[in-house]
Amino acid sequence: MTQWTSAVGAAQLARQLNAQQPRSAGPGTRKPPAYRALADGVRLLVLEGRVPVAARLPAERELALALSVSRTTVAAAYEALRAEGFLESRRGAGSWTSVPAGNPLPARGLEPLPPDSLGSMIDLGCAALTAPEPWLTRAVRGALEELPPYAHTHGDYPAGLPALRQTLADRYTARGIPTMPEQIMVTTGAMGAIDAICHLFAGRGERVAVESPSYANILQLMREAGARLVPVAMAEGLAGWDLPRWRQVLRDAAPRLAYVVADFHNPTGALATEDQRRQLVEAARSAGTVLVVDETMSELYLDGEVDGDRPGDELPPPVCAFDPAGSTVLTVGSASKAFWAGMRIGWVRAAPEVIRSLVAARAYADLGTPVLEQLAINWLMGGGDWEQAVGIRRAQAAENRDALVTAVRRELPSWEFDVPRGGLTLWVRTGGLSGSRIAEVGERVGVRVPGGPRFGVDGAFEGYVRLPFTVGGPVADEAAVRLAAAARLVESGARAGTDMPRTFVA
C-alpha cells in the first residue's frame, strides 16, 4: 500500500524550485553542489508547506528533464533527502515527501491561557478579542427577559431554538441566498458544527482535503476523528486558492470532505475571489466531495476596499451562493470571532435532509446548545445591536493590526508577511528561523505564540509563526520586542544545554 496522498508533477515542482530566491552568499562562500542545492530547495518547499507532506515526487528522470540537470544530480538529491528524513521511497511505489522522525508538532501555543495565569505573559496564542461592551451585558439582560417561556420546557433543542434558526435563515436570505429555518442547525461553536459534520460524513480512514496551511484546531479535530488529511497548498501571498491543485487533489484523492476558509483565511488572511469560489464548488460537485466552508471570519473585514481598487467594492458572495440548496456546500458560521469567544454559538447551513441527519446524529453527542446563549445572540441579531458590536470589533481589530504590523517591521525587519484586509491573523515567515523554536523560547521571554507546524500536516511550515492582532498600542510594541529577543536566542543557539541552529538555510 502506498503512503502518499497527493502527487506533484515534474513541471510544477520545477516551477516552484526555479522561483526560489537564493540567499546571497557572503564573501568567500562557495556555491553548494547542484545536488545539495536541489535537495535544499525541495526541503524548503516541504518546510514551508508549498509541497505537501506525503506528496509523491516525480521520478528522477522526469524531474531531471524538467530542470535540465542530470539524472545523477536528482538521484543524489533524493538520496540526501532520504538521509535527512524528508523523503521516503518504496520500490514500485515511488518517493514521497515526509518530515524527519523526532520532529513532532509543537504541543503548545493555541490553547488560551487561563486569565488568572497570564501574569506578565503576552498571549498571542489565541486569535480572540475581549468581549465588546456594553453589548454583551445588554444581550444577556435581553436574553434573561425572554427566558421565562423556555424555562417551562425541557430545554433541549437539538436543532436550535426556532427563533434563532429563523433569524439566521433571514440573514442568509438578506445576503442573497434564500434560506429556510429547516436549513439551519445551531451548534456549540463552529468546532461543534465541524465535529458533527466530520462524524456524519467522514468516518475513520476517510480522506479529507484541507488547505495548507489551515486552522490548527480543526486539523487536530479531524486527526482525532481518524481522518486522513490531504493538504492542498494555498496560492502565494494573499492570492487565495490554487485551483489547479484543488482540481488535481479532488480528482486523484477523491476526498469525502474538503474544509476551506474562504473569508480572511486562518492563518494567512487570504480572501478567495468570486471566481475561485465558483470554480471550487463546481470541482467539488464533479468529484462528489462535500465542501465544508468556514465563515467564522467573514464579518471581520477591516478595510473599506476589500475586493478591488475602488471604494465601495463589496465582498465576494458567500460560497453557498453557488450551491444555494446546500447539498454540496455546508456552511459553518459562529459568533465567537465576530462577537466574543465566550459566546459558544455556531451554526450549520445545509440542505434540509443534511440538517435532519446532523440533528439525529447529535443525540449521541450533546442534546443541544445552551438556551440562554442562543437567546442572547438572537436578541443581538434581531435588532441593530449586532451590527454596532461587530463594527466596534472591526475598528479594534484594525487598530491592533496596524500597531502589530508597525512593531514587527521595526523590531524584526527580516520577517516577511502580507498584511491581510480582514480577519485576525498575520502569517509570518521568520527569516529562516524555526517557528517551533521561537514558540518555545518565546514563552521564556514572556510572549506566547504558535509555531507554523501547528497549521500544517505532519510538520510543514517550520519557518513560520502565526501572530493574531489581538493586542495593540504599547502591548503590541512589547510583544514585538520580546519576539525579537526570542529570535536572537534562536539565532545564536543560546539555549542552556541545547543547540538551536537554523532549521534550514535556503
Side-chain angles (χ1 to χ4, degrees):
M1 180 179 176
T2 60
Q3 300 297 310
W4 50 273
T5 57
S6 62
V8 180
Q12 176 188 342
L13 183 57
R15 285 194 301 271
Q16 291 179 284
L17 289 166
N18 290 331
Q20 289 179 341
Q21 297 296 320
R23 296 186 182 187
S24 57
T29 302
R30 291 190 303 172
K31 186 178 180 179
Y35 86 88
R36 184 67 262 171
L38 175 55
D40 287 346
V42 173
R43 181 162 53 97
L44 178 58
L45 290 173
V46 172
L47 286 166
E48 292 186 340
R50 288 181 283 156
V51 168
V53 175
R56 187 179 187 273
L57 293 187
E60 295 170 3
R61 188 184 304 277
E62 294 176 34
L63 186 57
L65 287 171
L67 290 171
S68 298
V69 299
S70 71
R71 183 177 176 181
T72 302
T73 296
V74 177
Y78 277 16
E79 183 57 38
L81 289 167
R82 276 190 288 270
E84 295 165 3
F86 286 93
L87 196 69
E88 296 182 25
S89 303
R90 181 177 300 165
R91 185 178 296 276
S95 300
W96 57 91
T97 55
S98 62
V99 291
N103 282 29
L105 294 174
R108 298 173 293 176
L110 283 183
E111 302 79 9
L113 288 173
D116 56 358
S117 301
L118 284 172
S120 61
M121 180 73 71
I122 299 176
D123 188 4
L124 296 181
C126 185
L129 295 164
T130 56
E133 288 289 19
W135 291 275
L136 174 63
T137 298
R138 291 168 59 182
V140 172
R141 287 174 177 165
L144 286 172
E145 292 176 0
E146 297 176 5
L147 181 62
Y150 296 93
H152 295 290
T153 72
H154 50 62
D156 290 332
Y157 295 88
L161 293 184
L164 181 55
R165 296 176 74 192
Q166 181 67 63
T167 296
L168 292 168
D170 291 344
R171 289 177 67 84
Y172 279 105
T173 300
R175 294 167 69 188
I177 306 98
T179 303
M180 305 179 293
E182 291 80 10
Q183 290 179 264
I184 301 291
M185 181 177 84
V186 181
T187 62
T188 307
M191 292 287 289
I194 295 171
D195 182 57
I197 291 169
C198 287
H199 280 88
L200 180 63
F201 285 95
R204 187 164 294 276
E206 291 274 8
R207 287 177 174 170
V208 178
V210 295
E211 297 153 322
S212 184
S214 186
Y215 179 38
N217 286 338
I218 294 297
L219 294 181
Q220 189 59 31
L221 182 156
M222 291 177 174
R223 289 187 190 100
E224 293 180 359
R228 295 176 60 193
L229 300 182
V230 182
V232 185
M234 297 285 287
E236 293 293 326
L238 299 177
W241 298 322
D242 187 325
L243 267 302
R245 291 185 183 182
W246 268 104
R247 291 192 192 95
Q248 181 181 6
V249 167
L250 293 174
R251 180 182 64 248
D252 296 347
R256 183 72 181 93
L257 282 181
Y259 168 77
V260 297
V261 184
D263 300 289
F264 310 118
H265 176 261
N266 186 354
T268 69
L271 177 69
T273 67
E274 178 174 350
D275 192 51
Q276 287 175 336
R277 297 169 192 234
R278 179 185 295 105
Q279 290 190 48
L280 187 57
V281 172
E282 291 172 354
R285 184 182 293 117
S286 297
T289 298
V290 175
L291 188 60
V292 182
V293 180
D294 186 332
E295 281 194 336
T296 53
M297 296 282 192
S298 64
E299 296 198 59
L300 291 176
Y301 49 89
L302 308 183
D303 295 332
E305 301 172 28
V306 179
D307 190 35
D309 297 325
R310 301 183 306 276
D313 284 334
E314 297 180 353
L315 285 167
V319 179
C320 59
F322 304 104
D323 179 50
S327 55
T328 295
V329 176
L330 278 58
T331 303
V332 173
S334 171
S336 296
K337 298 298 186 185
F339 186 71
W340 185 45
M343 193 69 76
R344 304 302 305 159
I345 299 296
W347 54 87
V348 181
R349 182 199 181 276
E353 59 270 20
V354 173
I355 294 298
R356 286 194 294 269
S357 297
L358 288 169
V359 171
R362 186 178 193 178
Y364 304 101
D366 64 354
L367 292 176
T369 302
V371 170
L372 189 62
E373 283 86 340
Q374 291 187 72
L375 288 172
I377 293 298
N378 191 58
W379 186 90
L380 282 166
M381 290 182 171
D385 288 74
W386 176 266
E387 282 68 27
Q388 293 178 36
V390 174
I392 294 295
R393 173 68 83 234
R394 291 190 197 107
Q396 180 185 4
E399 183 178 344
N400 289 352
R401 178 198 58 185
D402 296 345
L404 187 61
V405 164
T406 299
V408 173
R409 284 177 171 165
R410 180 182 64 245
E411 301 295 335
L412 292 149
S414 67
W415 286 20
E416 301 173 45
F417 54 87
D418 294 295
V419 181
R421 306 171 92 173
L424 287 172
T425 58
L426 291 177
W427 184 235
V428 181
R429 190 186 305 216
T430 54
L433 299 177
S434 163
S436 299
R437 294 288 197 181
I438 290 171
E440 183 179 1
V441 177
E443 293 208 26
R444 296 204 228 122
V445 298
V447 60
R448 193 165 180 263
V449 58
R454 291 295 300 273
F455 304 88
V457 175
D458 295 331
F461 302 107
E462 184 59 65
Y464 289 81
V465 294
R466 188 192 74 170
L467 303 181
F469 23 95
T470 53
V471 297
V475 181
D477 291 335
E478 181 61 24
V481 168
R482 296 183 188 185
L483 283 171
R488 287 193 295 271
L489 288 172
V490 173
E491 180 99 49
S492 65
R495 177 186 175 202
T498 304
D499 184 30
M500 291 176 127
R502 288 177 180 268
T503 299
F504 57 84
V505 178

